Amino acid sequence: MKIKPDWVLPNLREAQKRTHQPIQTVDSFQIDETMQFLGSGKTYYLSTFGCQANERDSETLAGILDAMGFASAPDEEHADVILLNTCAIRQNAEEKVLGEVGSLKRLYRENPDLVIGVCGCMAQEEKLTNILLEKYPQVRLIFGTHNLQELPSMLYDVMMNHKRVVKVYSKEGEVYENLPVHRFGKHKAWVNIMYGCDKFCTYCIVPYTRGKQRSRTKDRILAEVRQLKAEGYKEITLLGQNVNAYGKDLQADYSFADLLAETAQIGIPRIRFMTSHPWDFSDAMIDTIAAYDNIMPAVHLPLQSGDNEILKQMGRRYTKESYLELFDTMKARIPNVAISTDIIVGFPNETDEQFEHTLDVVRYCKFDNAYTFIFSARPGTPAARMADAVDHETKQKRLQTLNTLWNRFALEKNKQYEGKVVQVLTDGASKRNADVWSGYTDTNKLVNFTGTGIHTGDFVNVQIETAKTFSLDGKAVL
Ligand code: 5AD
Ligand code: SF4
């Protein structure tokens, strides 16, 4: 691989730096005249991996591509530009992307004008970008999470100047406003309230791939929410790596609880938020969630581990005891609250006893839902440098034990819904049967139900007949 002088390659060490420089807001997005028609008669296909932040970024990419005259293609085969918006949270997420890039080689061979681009968190890593540059010549464009707004000029260079473009900034980042957006949902929308993360949990790559924690101003957020209300959206999710810390980087005395309350007053029927860190979940937040009917009683509260020593090594800043105290307070003060979580097993040198402590917490909390993972070493993070004597088989067994346990409780919880009537926001009809619909309850339970005269985006009362581990089945009632 010959490094081109105008490439900007990622650098995780740079990305790790935090200064006390004020955060810039940039709202001067414009597409140069020469690029406004680059997409005329051409199409794009976006493939998104990973979390909601990526989903929302893809909506921005689609918005920019629309503004350049591109049309969206139904699949990769019919696209002139294919962008893979990637995730770096665990190694298997990266392997999935490399697999997909590999399978696109055939299309590139058939059509050398095809633009295949890789963006998002994976592009922020030196190792992965080097692999793409060396082994995947079909990838003509690589850009990072801080470079979305430069898509027009980057595409111009690939398409008109036939360059291979690499532009990955490794920095704290700005707040970009007024970027175009093409929302993929008609009744549910994502609203970024902040970007980046400064927590630096020792296993996590996010603070390196997404920059410093930086909040949008409340005025911008509330204006976006008002706009979504006017467009008829039924549900919004306020997004941030750690929403509880909203506003701490701004010079205003205005917290996430304040933002949540003002958002609720705008009157969108359903408001969700994610993700919360147990460390700075305030009492005011709990009171606000309890006070407004349109703030959904569903909190995602990552536990990661139930062992204090492991939590310390993870840099999580809370103990098992303080987690449980918060958990109990939420259960006591927010009626009917559902609590979901993330758990990592097999953190370096986790002992059987330490793993048992995680199971103890699961037995106590009986989470409504859990996302469980085997620790994956992320190059550049402190945990990746820790020696680890635990073999993979043991980790896999732990994951299985954990899943069996939380699944049992989830089923028990779901059984309590049998015979009850719940309100579901309809996402759409089943692909196999047009009379079977699906959607979510306020507590974020997936419901499949039968009924007629139903439309996507409708609120429907559903009588639950059968509970399963991951979903509820029922029928629409008046
Ligand atoms: N290995 C395994 N799981 C991880 N997560 C974050 N980093 C890692 C890692 N290196 C999990 C955490 C986080 C969720 C989004 O992904 O549980 O909450
Ligand atoms: Fe990663 Fe921790 Fe930040 Fe969550 S809070 S994104 S786990 S560093």
Side-chain angles (χ1 to χ4, degrees):
M1 170 188 64
K2 229 167 85 201
I3 293 185
K4 303 272 180 353
D6 60 352
W7 282 356
V8 185
L9 292 160
N11 181 328
L12 286 177
R13 210 172 263 280
E14 278 300 310
Q16 182 181 7
K17 287 187 187 156
R18 292 292 184 268
T19 66
H20 297 288
Q21 300 293 321
I23 291 149
Q24 304 289 324
T25 295
V26 185
D27 56 9
S28 54
F29 180 78
Q30 254 186 346
I31 299 176
D32 195 278
E33 255 174 50
T34 52
M35 298 159 197
Q36 275 172 8
F37 303 103
L38 193 66
S40 296
K42 294 199 158 36
T43 57
Y44 69 88
Y45 186 82
L46 271 165
S47 204
T48 309
F49 300 79
C51 68
Q52 292 78 14
N54 265 16
E55 292 279 341
R56 180 61 188 79
D57 280 354
S58 285
E59 294 183 335
T60 298
L61 294 171
I64 297 175
L65 289 162
D66 291 349
M68 295 171 76
F70 287 92
S72 125
D75 53 41
E76 290 162 333
E77 309 265 334
H78 294 91
D80 300 293
V81 173
I82 299 173
L83 293 181
L84 280 71
N85 191 4
T86 65
C87 170
I89 199 96
R90 284 169 293 275
Q91 197 181 334
N92 54 11
E94 298 181 338
E95 282 160 3
K96 226 162 60 189
V97 172
L98 291 180
E100 182 151 337
V101 180
S103 73
L104 292 175
K105 190 161 192 174
R106 179 182 60 82
L107 293 179
Y108 181 64
R109 238 187 264 126
E110 288 165 9
N111 170 18
D113 288 331
L114 174 66
V115 179
I116 300 175
V118 174
C119 60
C121 287
M122 220 171 107
Q124 295 289 143
E125 293 184 282
E126 289 105 325
K127 191 172 150 215
L128 269 296
T129 288
N130 285 336
I131 292 176
L132 288 169
L133 288 171
E134 275 172 24
K135 303 213 174 110
Y136 297 85
Q138 65 269 41
V139 176
R140 308 296 302 158
L141 169 63
I142 299 177
F143 62 98
T145 58
H146 299 294
N147 304 81
L148 307 191
Q149 69 290 346
E150 291 175 83
L151 183 61
S153 60
M154 293 187 292
L155 267 181
Y156 188 87
D157 272 348
V158 178
M159 292 169 71
M160 304 305 283
N161 299 328
H162 306 287
K163 282 184 171 178
R164 196 178 196 198
V165 173
V166 183
K167 219 169 196 189
V168 185
Y169 297 148
S170 301
K171 58 176 181 178
E172 294 182 317
E174 298 84 17
V175 171
Y176 278 88
E177 293 291 349
N178 297 336
L179 294 180
V181 54
H182 169 151
R183 297 201 187 264
F184 299 145
K186 297 278 173 283
H187 63 282
K188 297 208 276 199
W190 311 113
V191 176
N192 280 322
I193 64 164
M194 60 206 296
Y195 304 95
C197 182
D198 287 342
K199 286 277 187 289
F200 287 99
C201 301
T202 58
Y203 50 81
C204 186
I205 194 75
V206 169
Y208 307 76
T209 62
R210 288 199 163 264
K212 184 184 168 74
Q213 176 185 299
R214 47 210 197 277
S215 303
R216 296 177 69 199
T217 64
K218 73 171 182 117
D219 292 343
R220 303 270 194 176
I221 298 166
L222 295 172
E224 184 174 339
V225 176
R226 276 187 210 104
Q227 170 80 22
L228 289 166
K229 166 109 194 312
E231 289 172 19
Y233 279 86
K234 307 275 174 60
E235 177 177 310
I236 58 161
T237 303
L238 304 177
L239 286 183
Q241 295 301 334
N242 174 19
V243 291
N244 319 1
Y246 170 79
K248 293 194 176 172
D249 52 298
L250 297 174
Q251 264 59 44
D253 184 19
Y254 191 83
S255 70
F256 182 60
D258 299 322
L259 180 69
L260 209 45
E262 272 204 82
T263 305
Q265 286 155 19
I266 291 173
I268 292 217
R270 283 188 169 190
I271 295 156
R272 300 187 188 278
F273 57 90
M274 68 184 313
T275 291
S276 291
H277 190 297
W279 187 60
D280 36 15
F281 207 108
S282 68
D283 262 15
M285 272 173 67
I286 297 179
D287 291 340
T288 308
I289 300 166
Y292 290 91
D293 282 348
N294 60 343
I295 302 179
M296 295 299 97
V299 180
H300 188 63
L301 195 68
L303 168 68
Q304 313 299 5
S305 167
D307 180 81
N308 284 341
E309 179 52 35
I310 295 281
L311 284 172
K312 202 157 136 202
Q313 286 174 26
M314 288 177 161
R316 290 291 288 177
R317 311 169 195 215
Y318 55 85
T319 59
K320 164 188 159 182
E321 290 74 20
S322 59
Y323 183 95
L324 292 179
E325 199 183 315
L326 174 61
F327 180 92
D328 286 340
T329 312
M330 276 185 202
K331 285 273 172 187
R333 303 236 293 262
I334 309 170
N336 191 31
V337 69
I339 300 181
S340 56
T341 199
D342 291 344
I343 297 172
I344 298 175
V345 302
F347 188 78
N349 297 317
E350 181 191 54
T351 63
D352 283 340
E353 197 188 345
Q354 289 173 323
F355 173 60
E356 275 299 324
H357 292 158
T358 296
L359 297 181
D360 287 343
V361 175
V362 172
R363 275 184 208 104
Y364 181 86
C365 293
K366 302 183 169 68
F367 293 106
D368 287 84
N369 200 356
Y371 299 88
T372 58
F373 314 102
I374 293 180
F375 167 76
S376 167
R378 305 289 66 218
T381 61
R385 293 189 286 274
M386 296 177 189
D388 186 6
V390 188
D391 59 89
H392 193 66
E393 204 189 322
T394 306
K395 297 186 183 206
Q396 268 173 325
K397 273 198 199 133
R398 284 183 191 162
L399 184 69
Q400 239 172 37
T401 308
L402 173 63
N403 285 342
T404 309
L405 185 69
W406 85 256
N407 287 352
R408 202 179 84 212
F409 292 126
L411 180 61
E412 262 175 36
K413 282 246 156 110
N414 282 351
K415 287 263 176 221
Q416 294 168 7
Y417 280 84
E418 282 182 351
K420 290 198 176 135
V421 173
V422 291
Q423 193 191 50
V424 175
L425 175 56
T426 311
D427 280 336
S430 150
K431 286 201 180 80
R432 273 167 288 150
N433 183 345
D435 282 332
V436 177
W437 298 83
S438 74
Y440 287 84
T441 63
D442 57 349
T443 50
N444 224 358
K445 304 275 178 195
L446 173 62
V447 181
N448 296 305
F449 60 100
T450 52
T452 47
I454 292 161
H455 307 95
T456 298
D458 283 354
F459 282 104
V460 178
N461 289 329
V462 177
Q463 170 134 41
I464 302 303
E465 293 164 326
T466 319
K468 299 181 180 156
T469 306
F470 305 111
S471 62
L472 305 166
D473 289 347
K475 62 168 193 281
V477 289
L478 283 181

